Amino acid sequence: MSEHGSFSEQASIYDETDTGSGRSAVRIASVAALGGFLFGYDSAVINGAVSAVEDRFDADPVSLGFAVASALLGAAAGALTAGKFADRFGRLFTMKVAAVLFFISALVAGLAPNLVVLVIGRIVGGVGVGVASVIAPAYIAEVAPARIRGRLGSLQQLAIVTGIFLSLLVDFLFARAAGGSRGEFWFGLEAWRWMFLAMAIPAVVYGLLTLTIPESPRYLIATHRIPEARRILSTLLGERGLDIKINRIRETMERDKPPSWADLRAPRGGLLPIVWVGLGLSVFQQFVGINVIFYYSNVLWEAVGFSENDSFVITVITSVVNIATTLIAIASVDRFGRRPLLLIGSVGMAVTLGTLAVIFGTAPLNEAGAPVLSEVTGPIALVAANLFVVAFGMSWGPVVWVLLGEAFPNRIRAAALAFAAGGQWVANWLITVTFPALSDVSLALAYGIYTVFAVLSLVFVLRWVRETKGKELEEMQTGTTV
């Protein structure tokens, strides 16, 4: 990775003082986080289309699982390449490329004549998702003062869950208007196609809004555009000590070697401990099965006896719960810290997932082999599923993104964040692609596996994750803790 424009020491200049305009930082961070909105929309929109896609293209469980998870492969590729791309072409250009990818994905997936083209459209969108998952938390960490960095970093997750909610709401509205996801709607296209096509609108909005925020001052200084960088820094931080801050950036650029993937390696071989911790956070965030709720919940609730309409309503309610709990995390992450929220979330997820595993494991089976929930176990399962979302939404959802944006040493931030985000998307893909096969065997088995990972996530946090609340980014330099 080129040193010019890297996601490196620039964040340090923002953490020394909070004298700049907090409102400017919030506005800039909010626009950057809109990539997360499209990230959430693109990831979850498949939920309402799963059954229709299965029927329309006569897809078997393996093909269906791959179609649902295909976007995640693109996301992994996008995440792994986003840091280097942004280093070379700039942060704003990278955001605009993501917006274009989302737009193309909406058209290709929505108009796909067969399952292969649908998968291609989903992969294109997935690349956009991967790019957004890296560029937003890194950019936000660069512009956020230390005292509100957790809250601004949490905007990424708020945008993600809002995108999930809107996609599920759009799915519900199109399906209801057309009499089902398979029904014809505008211009003779089935409702499920419009679920994908609707993403073109926020993609355009995101692209246009990126025109209203500044380029990273660090990137501008690296490319010798000092007057532009000075204007932006003045808006964010005020004039006090501005020349000193700019000089520190330039001195650091001259002192440090260009960052690369090799910087992630420990002197004695393997990866730096902090990189392993970042990867572990990313993997556990996905291995608890959260995206099963948002990718497959309609199919899941239909399988245990709810109607398609009721399943849509349940899914929308769950997404609202996710938004509400993310707001709780935003309000508390800078007050209580990152580590306590993760610990509380792990316990909550373990209990609720375990409850679901027991319910599905003890329920009688119908002729198709699916569990049949009673008037008692049905509501309990619904409550447990939503409490699981509460536990995740106030902890592992937003806090992982905050930590990935702030906790790596400056010199390796771009490479380490890209590596961790890439691992997150691979983990997401594994969970998503295996759920249909696991659920065919036993829903209790699937949720039992997710329960085990929730318990392991608790052990992981207790043993390896360290608190970063209130710390300046310069304090993340040793690479030994996160």
Side-chain angles (χ1 to χ4, degrees):
M1 242 178 249
S2 170
E3 168 65 15
H4 295 292
S6 66
F7 296 134
S8 51
E9 298 78 16
Q10 75 276 25
S12 65
I13 64 174
Y14 300 116
D15 292 327
E16 296 176 356
T17 177
D18 294 336
T19 59
S21 171
R23 284 180 296 180
S24 293
V26 171
R27 181 185 67 81
I28 293 169
S30 297
V31 173
L34 283 178
F37 175 88
L38 282 156
F39 163 167
Y41 190 104
D42 185 82
S43 297
V45 69
I46 190 69
N47 191 315
V50 170
S51 295
V53 167
E54 182 179 19
D55 291 346
R56 177 67 175 80
F57 300 127
D58 193 25
D60 58 72
V62 174
S63 298
L64 182 65
F66 185 80
V68 172
S70 57
L72 306 179
L73 294 176
L80 289 170
T81 58
K84 186 173 183 178
F85 189 89
D87 282 347
R88 182 171 181 180
F89 298 105
R91 283 50 158 176
L92 290 185
F93 184 73
T94 303
M95 294 181 194
K96 292 168 186 173
V97 168
V100 171
L101 291 172
F102 285 125
F103 183 80
I104 293 173
S105 173
L107 298 184
V108 174
L111 301 175
N114 53 56
L115 193 62
V116 172
V117 175
L118 176 65
V119 168
I120 292 172
R122 295 285 292 157
I123 290 175
V124 170
V127 174
V129 167
V131 170
S133 71
V134 171
I135 192 69
Y139 181 87
I140 291 171
E142 294 173 8
V143 301
R147 63 183 173 85
I148 60 172
R149 193 174 62 230
R151 276 171 279 175
L152 293 187
S154 297
L155 289 177
Q156 164 83 343
Q157 180 68 9
L158 179 63
I160 292 170
V161 298
T162 303
I164 290 172
F165 163 73
L166 188 61
S167 71
L168 297 176
L169 179 62
V170 166
D171 286 356
F172 168 72
L173 294 176
F174 278 128
R176 185 167 186 175
S181 59
R182 303 163 182 81
E184 288 191 1
F185 199 50
W186 294 325
F187 305 109
L189 297 175
E190 300 100 312
W192 68 268
R193 294 185 181 276
W194 284 105
M195 297 173 188
F196 291 112
L197 291 170
M199 187 174 65
I201 296 175
V204 171
V205 172
Y206 175 48
L208 292 176
L209 285 177
T210 59
L211 301 175
T212 70
I213 61 175
E215 180 57 89
S216 162
R218 173 62 173 79
Y219 180 81
L220 294 174
I221 292 174
T223 53
H224 311 294
R225 293 153 66 181
I226 306 299
E228 293 178 60
R230 185 183 181 87
R231 286 196 297 272
I232 296 166
L233 290 173
S234 176
T235 300
L236 291 170
L237 303 175
E239 290 289 339
R240 189 177 68 184
L242 197 56
D243 289 332
I244 296 175
K245 294 177 177 64
I246 292 175
N247 287 333
R248 285 188 60 193
I249 298 174
R250 298 174 72 173
E251 289 170 3
T252 303
M253 287 170 54
E254 293 172 358
R255 183 175 65 248
D256 283 349
K257 66 178 182 179
S260 69
W261 286 105
D263 294 329
L264 305 185
R265 292 161 56 182
R268 298 182 180 180
L271 297 176
L272 290 168
I274 195 174
V275 177
W276 281 118
V277 172
L279 180 62
L281 286 167
S282 288
V283 170
F284 277 117
Q285 188 197 55
Q286 298 304 316
F287 274 11
V288 296
I290 184 63
N291 283 314
V292 166
I293 296 291
F294 293 110
Y295 297 167
Y296 291 111
S297 59
N298 277 29
V299 175
L300 172 63
W301 296 123
E302 286 183 56
V304 296
F306 291 90
S307 68
E308 182 184 53
N309 186 71
D310 288 343
S311 297
F312 271 109
V313 173
I314 292 168
T315 299
V316 171
I317 291 173
T318 300
S319 67
V320 173
V321 170
N322 201 13
I323 292 175
T325 53
T326 302
L327 291 173
I328 294 173
I330 290 174
S332 58
V333 67
D334 284 320
R335 177 178 299 179
F336 301 112
R338 286 63 160 152
R339 194 169 182 266
L341 292 182
L342 289 178
L343 292 172
I344 294 170
S346 292
V347 172
M349 292 189 300
V351 172
T352 51
L353 287 169
T355 300
L356 287 169
V358 171
I359 288 175
F360 290 135
T362 57
L365 304 180
N366 60 20
E367 294 180 357
V372 179
L373 303 186
S374 68
E375 294 181 357
V376 175
T377 57
I380 292 175
L382 284 175
V383 171
N386 280 283
L387 288 180
F388 165 59
V389 172
V390 169
F392 180 88
M394 54 76 64
S395 62
W396 281 81
V399 173
V400 167
W401 288 113
V402 172
L403 286 171
L404 292 182
E406 72 182 5
F408 295 118
N410 285 330
R411 187 170 55 82
I412 66 168
R413 180 166 291 115
L417 204 159
F419 180 78
Q424 182 175 133
W425 289 114
V426 172
N428 193 339
W429 179 82
L430 287 172
I431 291 297
T432 304
V433 79
T434 56
F435 179 74
L438 280 175
S439 62
D440 280 351
V441 175
S442 169
L443 279 173
L445 173 63
Y447 281 93
I449 291 172
Y450 306 147
T451 302
V452 170
F453 282 115
V455 173
L456 291 176
S457 74
L458 176 66
V459 176
F460 179 80
V461 175
L462 286 171
R463 176 64 180 84
W464 284 291
V465 178
R466 302 292 177 263
E467 185 56 69
T468 58
K469 169 191 160 186
K471 292 184 178 181
E472 304 295 345
L473 294 187
E474 292 89 341
E475 297 179 57
M476 317 295 184
Q477 294 306 304
T478 63
T480 57
T481 60
V482 71

